[in-house]
mmCIF file of all heavy atoms in Angstrom:
data_model
loop_
_atom_site.group_PDB
_atom_site.id
_atom_site.type_symbol
_atom_site.label_atom_id
_atom_site.label_comp_id
_atom_site.label_asym_id
_atom_site.label_seq_id
_atom_site.Cartn_x
_atom_site.Cartn_y
_atom_site.Cartn_z
ATOM 1 N N TYR A 94 25.251 19.793 171.959
ATOM 2 C CA TYR A 94 25.735 19.657 173.309
ATOM 3 C C TYR A 94 26.959 18.833 173.347
ATOM 4 O O TYR A 94 27.066 17.708 172.723
ATOM 5 C CB TYR A 94 24.723 19.041 174.271
ATOM 6 C CG TYR A 94 23.422 19.827 174.414
ATOM 7 C CD1 TYR A 94 22.377 19.608 173.602
ATOM 8 C CD2 TYR A 94 23.283 20.759 175.366
ATOM 9 C CE1 TYR A 94 21.180 20.306 173.731
ATOM 10 C CE2 TYR A 94 22.157 21.500 175.629
ATOM 11 C CZ TYR A 94 21.162 21.264 174.671
ATOM 12 O OH TYR A 94 19.976 21.951 174.871
ATOM 13 N N CYS A 95 27.924 19.169 174.225
ATOM 14 C CA CYS A 95 29.121 18.424 174.504
ATOM 15 C C CYS A 95 28.909 17.566 175.754
ATOM 16 O O CYS A 95 28.261 18.057 176.742
ATOM 17 C CB CYS A 95 30.288 19.338 174.689
ATOM 18 S SG CYS A 95 31.815 18.551 175.278
ATOM 19 N N ASN A 96 29.334 16.333 175.749
ATOM 20 C CA ASN A 96 29.326 15.441 176.926
ATOM 21 C C ASN A 96 30.656 14.833 177.128
ATOM 22 O O ASN A 96 31.270 14.403 176.090
ATOM 23 C CB ASN A 96 28.198 14.393 176.662
ATOM 24 C CG ASN A 96 28.196 13.368 177.773
ATOM 25 O OD1 ASN A 96 28.868 12.333 177.691
ATOM 26 N ND2 ASN A 96 27.481 13.585 178.866
ATOM 27 N N ALA A 97 31.039 14.740 178.347
ATOM 28 C CA ALA A 97 32.351 14.146 178.607
ATOM 29 C C ALA A 97 32.314 13.286 179.863
ATOM 30 O O ALA A 97 31.618 13.676 180.870
ATOM 31 C CB ALA A 97 33.479 15.205 178.734
ATOM 32 N N SER A 98 33.020 12.145 179.837
ATOM 33 C CA SER A 98 33.124 11.311 180.994
ATOM 34 C C SER A 98 34.415 11.738 181.708
ATOM 35 O O SER A 98 35.501 11.496 181.200
ATOM 36 C CB SER A 98 33.197 9.848 180.589
ATOM 37 O OG SER A 98 33.319 9.013 181.706
ATOM 38 N N ILE A 99 34.264 12.332 182.886
ATOM 39 C CA ILE A 99 35.388 12.982 183.514
ATOM 40 C C ILE A 99 35.531 12.432 184.996
ATOM 41 O O ILE A 99 34.538 12.272 185.750
ATOM 42 C CB ILE A 99 35.227 14.465 183.637
ATOM 43 C CG1 ILE A 99 35.242 15.106 182.219
ATOM 44 C CG2 ILE A 99 36.322 15.146 184.494
ATOM 45 C CD1 ILE A 99 34.861 16.505 182.091
ATOM 46 N N TRP A 100 36.777 12.183 185.433
ATOM 47 C CA TRP A 100 37.095 11.813 186.798
ATOM 48 C C TRP A 100 37.627 13.089 187.414
ATOM 49 O O TRP A 100 38.666 13.502 187.127
ATOM 50 C CB TRP A 100 38.142 10.727 186.727
ATOM 51 C CG TRP A 100 38.395 10.093 188.097
ATOM 52 C CD1 TRP A 100 38.710 10.702 189.279
ATOM 53 C CD2 TRP A 100 38.524 8.697 188.326
ATOM 54 N NE1 TRP A 100 38.902 9.801 190.303
ATOM 55 C CE2 TRP A 100 38.830 8.564 189.748
ATOM 56 C CE3 TRP A 100 38.384 7.562 187.578
ATOM 57 C CZ2 TRP A 100 38.977 7.270 190.288
ATOM 58 C CZ3 TRP A 100 38.613 6.305 188.171
ATOM 59 C CH2 TRP A 100 38.776 6.158 189.521
ATOM 60 N N PRO A 101 36.826 13.685 188.356
ATOM 61 C CA PRO A 101 37.272 14.918 188.916
ATOM 62 C C PRO A 101 38.347 14.635 189.974
ATOM 63 O O PRO A 101 38.379 13.633 190.567
ATOM 64 C CB PRO A 101 35.982 15.471 189.560
ATOM 65 C CG PRO A 101 35.159 14.301 189.784
ATOM 66 C CD PRO A 101 35.443 13.311 188.700
ATOM 67 N N SER A 102 39.132 15.676 190.186
ATOM 68 C CA SER A 102 40.211 15.554 191.200
ATOM 69 C C SER A 102 39.569 15.289 192.562
ATOM 70 O O SER A 102 38.515 15.995 192.881
ATOM 71 C CB SER A 102 41.041 16.754 191.222
ATOM 72 O OG SER A 102 41.728 16.931 190.003
ATOM 73 N N GLY A 103 40.020 14.353 193.323
ATOM 74 C CA GLY A 103 39.383 14.068 194.570
ATOM 75 C C GLY A 103 38.214 13.178 194.515
ATOM 76 O O GLY A 103 37.629 12.790 195.537
ATOM 77 N N GLY A 104 37.782 12.853 193.255
ATOM 78 C CA GLY A 104 36.626 11.975 193.102
ATOM 79 C C GLY A 104 37.063 10.467 193.104
ATOM 80 O O GLY A 104 38.216 10.135 193.314
ATOM 81 N N TYR A 105 36.112 9.567 192.841
ATOM 82 C CA TYR A 105 36.435 8.202 192.911
ATOM 83 C C TYR A 105 36.000 7.377 191.743
ATOM 84 O O TYR A 105 36.087 6.124 191.673
ATOM 85 C CB TYR A 105 35.800 7.544 194.229
ATOM 86 C CG TYR A 105 34.393 7.736 194.327
ATOM 87 C CD1 TYR A 105 33.486 6.713 193.874
ATOM 88 C CD2 TYR A 105 33.814 8.805 194.957
ATOM 89 C CE1 TYR A 105 32.151 6.794 194.056
ATOM 90 C CE2 TYR A 105 32.478 9.024 195.098
ATOM 91 C CZ TYR A 105 31.619 7.956 194.632
ATOM 92 O OH TYR A 105 30.306 8.186 194.694
#
Side-chain angles (χ1 to χ4, degrees):
Y94 296 91
C95 171
N96 172 269
S98 180
I99 296 174
W100 191 309
S102 297
Y105 58 93

